[in-house]
Amino acid sequence: MAIERTLSIIKPDATENDNVGGILQLIEKSGLRIVAMRRMHLTKAQAGGFYEVHKERPFFGELVDFMTRSPVVVSVLEGEDAVAKYREVMGATDPKKAADGTIRKLFAKDIGENSVHGSDSLENAKREIAFFFAEADLL
Ligand code: GDP
């Protein structure tokens, strides 16, 4: 296994419900290290650009509205096998299907408002990290 970096977004439902600390604690407990972090309020253009791959999906408008409703916390996580490990810590997209102890099982409301985003491949992680962070943020 290699040391990887992945992008995490703590989504608006979680910042609205003051679950940021609880989520960061689960991330750190899993062995992933937070190497960069920022709280920000996404514009529609930023949310739409970030989720461009879902542009044709029926829920795209809803997703952009949700992601711009309140601030998010974006961070870069580093560790052994970080991309797959964070997907495990997050749990399934639909919290009803998420395993016990996962972020989505503990905090998410439904398949749309599911508290966190995590990159789904190393290639996407690189693209997503560069979307939010400059090289100088990541030394
Ligand atoms: P992820 O990689 O587990 O986040 O899941 P996907 O890549 O399939 O979907 C991206 C995001 O779109 C999800 O995390 C949800 O916030 C949202 N999403 C996915 N499916 C639905 C849906 O059926 N309805 C709504 N409203 N949002 C959805």
Side-chain angles (χ1 to χ4, degrees):
M1 280 188 292
I3 299 289
E4 295 174 352
R5 285 176 169 180
T6 191
L7 184 88
S8 161
I9 305 178
I10 299 178
K11 296 183 178 181
D13 61 305
T15 63
E16 287 164 2
N17 294 325
D18 298 318
N19 287 327
V20 174
I23 290 171
L24 293 176
Q25 198 165 35
L26 286 176
I27 288 171
E28 289 190 321
K29 270 198 189 141
S30 78
L32 292 167
R33 176 162 290 153
I34 301 155
V35 297
M37 181 157 64
R38 187 160 88 243
R39 178 179 156 106
M40 60 191 296
H41 201 140
L42 295 176
T43 63
K44 299 242 176 200
Q46 281 173 322
F50 183 80
Y51 278 119
E52 179 127 48
V53 289
H54 294 310
K55 211 169 52 210
E56 306 303 329
R57 309 275 285 272
F59 57 81
F60 181 72
E62 223 173 289
L63 178 59
V64 170
D65 285 346
F66 165 56
M67 291 299 291
T68 55
R69 189 172 78 196
S70 294
V72 299
V73 175
V74 292
S75 61
V76 178
L77 311 180
E78 183 179 271
E80 287 272 328
D81 217 11
V83 172
K85 179 176 269 184
Y86 188 45
R87 298 286 300 185
E88 249 180 67
V89 174
M90 284 166 44
T93 308
D94 182 350
K96 289 200 287 291
K97 297 181 185 152
D100 284 346
T102 59
I103 294 171
R104 283 167 165 169
K105 179 72 172 196
L106 287 165
F107 298 111
K109 182 175 145 221
D110 56 38
I111 195 168
E113 301 198 14
N114 59 5
S115 301
V116 278
H117 166 85
S119 311
D120 64 2
S121 68
L122 197 53
E123 192 191 345
N124 282 337
K126 292 201 166 90
R127 184 182 64 77
E128 293 177 1
I129 289 168
F131 191 91
F132 289 111
F133 294 95
E135 283 291 324
D137 297 323
L138 294 163
L139 299 176

